[in-house]
Amino acid sequence: MTTSAELLLHPVRLRVVQALLGGRELTTADLRAVLTDVPPATLYRQVNTLVVAGVLEVTAERRVRGAVERTFRLRAERASVTEEELAAMSVAEHRVAFTTFVAGLLADFDRYLAEGDADLARDLAGYRMAGFYATDAELRQVITTIQEAVRPYAQAGPGPGRTRRLLATILLPEPTSGPRIAGETDERPG
């Protein structure tokens, strides 16, 4: 049986999922226009894998030149790796998963730059890192606050003047090696 991690952290399948984030509904032709570097046969195979796994659902079908063109939507509740699966992954599997995720970010950023008119200030694009101290309970509240703040925009869908935005988060504890600062602790409250 394939785990969600094995299913979702495949480079092409991850990009298909990312292309459908934000309530988008796309045909395979639309996906081919977005993922121009993916051979069509590979794209069709990976889309079918996601449909069979229940990660994508078919929202419409229509005849185009004798073939059936399907429109797909992401089933967000099926497009994530469970906490149990994350806990069961080995260090090597986490490295592969994180590398796949970061490679997807790099590819998206490279495509943005390759458009030839990239202006990070105008486009409100960028990359940042913030450091802060928080207990586990406080961190859970930060995560919940971010999710609640983004949810209405993720559900709003396309419209006049609306540009699709990608928000990627990477949250890591700082490595515990190195000099200690007064008041810091490695203890994690239960």
Side-chain angles (χ1 to χ4, degrees), residues 40-190:
T42 300
L43 180 62
Y44 291 121
R45 186 172 53 254
Q46 299 308 332
V47 165
N48 187 59
T49 299
L50 291 168
V51 169
V52 169
V55 174
L56 300 183
E57 67 180 339
V58 177
T59 60
E61 293 183 338
R62 68 182 185 114
R63 284 244 176 250
V64 177
R65 292 183 289 264
V68 175
E69 178 183 66
R70 299 185 298 173
T71 301
F72 303 97
R73 175 176 45 216
L74 183 66
R75 294 182 60 205
E77 72 280 3
R78 300 291 306 262
S80 62
V81 180
T82 67
E83 288 184 19
E84 294 81 16
E85 289 173 321
L86 286 173
M89 290 170 62
S90 70
V91 169
E93 289 170 323
H94 279 293
R95 280 192 181 107
V96 169
F98 189 72
T99 300
T100 301
F101 177 77
V102 171
L105 289 177
L106 289 170
D108 286 336
F109 191 66
D110 191 52
R111 280 188 289 280
Y112 165 69
L113 294 175
E115 289 178 356
D117 188 28
D119 181 335
L120 276 74
R122 177 199 65 216
D123 298 335
L124 301 174
Y127 38 92
R128 296 165 187 83
M129 182 180 289
F132 60 93
Y133 295 89
T135 66
D136 287 356
E138 291 168 334
L139 183 56
R140 284 186 188 94
Q141 184 56 49
V142 167
I143 292 167
T144 299
T145 301
I146 292 169
Q147 289 171 333
E148 289 172 355
V150 172
R151 185 174 295 117
Y153 302 100
Q155 294 172 343
R162 301 178 66 85
T163 299
R164 185 168 181 263
R165 314 282 178 169
L166 298 177
L167 173 65
T169 59
I170 299 171
L171 185 58
L172 300 171
E174 186 173 21
T176 56
S177 61
R180 307 300 299 151
I181 297 174
E184 284 188 330
T185 178
D186 289 337
E187 296 176 22
R188 296 173 64 89

